[in-house]
Amino acid sequence: MGGERDVNHEPHSCDAALARAFGFLGKRWNGVILATLLIGPLGFAELKRSVGGICDSVLSERLHGLTEAGLVQRHVAEGPPVTVEYALTAAGQALLPVLEGLSAWATANLPA
Amino acid sequence: MGGERDVNHEPHSCDAALARAFGFLGKRWNGVILATLLIGPLGFAELKRSVGGICDSVLSERLHGLTEAGLVQRHVAEGPPVTVEYALTAAGQALLPVLEGLSAWATANLPA
């Protein structure tokens, strides 16, 4: 404290990226869905069970948004039976170290 | 793909911490306020200007929440003039590497 500081500093340019990240990951369920898929690809019903407490329509909507954003891919295996799985893209997988850091921080610093 | 995987896996215990982190940081403005204070302590008006687009009552409410959570400290310097500054606690500062990682990820993977 009391050191030199620029009181007129503007938000760094990284703040726009951070605001995007928080807007996106902070949207209810998105973060947990991505964290769940980090473990491996899952079908809709498995994903729903693993996430817990989410209804079909909301999970569908979030998967659509995550797919649009290029973080999740939908794989259809022609059957029979036809099976659909959701998997992280490389962009989604790149979140892993960030989520690990965030989880460690929350464990240490945000009371349960 | 096609490798071994446990379709019955339950969410890892870290998911509860992640859900807390997203619930907290995803609450509008909290992430940006913390990111702004990472640069250094600021008074209310400076902080408001740096965050941009936030009104007094919302900034007050968020600062109260962040203080309650132990991430921000309010310093009062007896004057005259009395000055009030907001600074990150050690817990708040521990977010820095996580926010940097998240910002880098968003820059690379979330279109502006």
Side-chain angles (χ1 to χ4, degrees), chain A residues 14-24, chain B residues 32 106:
Chain A
C14 75
D15 290 354
L18 263 187
R20 278 204 309 286
F22 286 128
F24 191 79
Chain B
V32 176

Side-chain angles (χ1 to χ4, degrees), chain A residues 92-109:
Chain A
Q93 282 174 352
L95 250 189
L96 179 58
V98 177
L99 293 186
E100 285 176 342
L102 193 55
S103 174
W105 175 81
T107 300
N109 296 296

Side-chain angles (χ1 to χ4, degrees), chain A residues 8-110:
Chain A
N8 294 313
H9 67 69
E10 292 297 317
H12 284 199
S13 60
C14 75
D15 290 354
L18 263 187
R20 278 204 309 286
F22 286 128
F24 191 79
L25 295 174
K27 190 173 176 185
R28 187 151 193 232
W29 301 112
N30 274 349
V32 176
I33 291 169
L34 291 172
T36 303
L37 289 176
L38 281 169
I39 304 161
L42 289 174
F44 189 91
E46 302 165 316
L47 182 56
K48 185 185 170 190
R49 198 167 53 237
S50 290
V51 168
I54 190 171
C55 69
D56 284 7
S57 63
V58 173
L59 180 54
S60 277
E61 192 275 328
R62 291 300 192 275
L63 284 170
H64 184 76
L66 290 166
T67 304
E68 288 279 294
L71 304 180
V72 167
Q73 260 185 318
R74 189 170 177 275
H75 295 286
V76 180
E78 301 301 339
V82 174
T83 56
V84 177
E85 279 198 335
Y86 297 89
L88 294 184
T89 61
Q93 282 174 352
L95 250 189
L96 179 58
V98 177
L99 293 186
E100 285 176 342
L102 193 55
S103 174
W105 175 81
T107 300
N109 296 296
L110 291 183

Side-chain angles (χ1 to χ4, degrees), chain A residues 1 5 7-12 14-15 17-22 24-26 31-32 35-36 39-43 46 49-51 69 71 75 85 87 91-92 94-95 98-99 101-103 105-107 109-112, chain B residues 1 5 7-12 14-15 17-22 24-26 31-32 35-36 39-43 46 49-51 69 71 75 85 87 91-92 94-95 98-99 101-103 105-107 109-112:
Chain A
M1 310 272 156
R5 96 188 134 87
V7 295
N8 294 313
H9 67 69
E10 292 297 317
H12 284 199
C14 75
D15 290 354
L18 263 187
R20 278 204 309 286
F22 286 128
F24 191 79
L25 295 174
V32 176
T36 303
I39 304 161
L42 289 174
E46 302 165 316
R49 198 167 53 237
S50 290
V51 168
L71 304 180
H75 295 286
E85 279 198 335
L95 250 189
V98 177
L99 293 186
L102 193 55
S103 174
W105 175 81
T107 300
N109 296 296
L110 291 183
Chain B
M1 309 273 158
R5 94 186 136 84
V7 296
N8 294 313
H9 68 67
E10 293 297 317
H12 284 199
C14 74
D15 291 352
L18 264 188
R20 278 204 309 283
F22 286 128
F24 191 79
L25 295 174
V32 176
T36 303
I39 304 162
L42 289 174
E46 301 166 317
R49 198 165 54 236
S50 291
V51 168
L71 304 180
H75 295 285
E85 277 197 335
L95 250 190
V98 177
L99 293 185
L102 192 56
S103 174
W105 175 82
T107 300
N109 297 297
L110 292 183

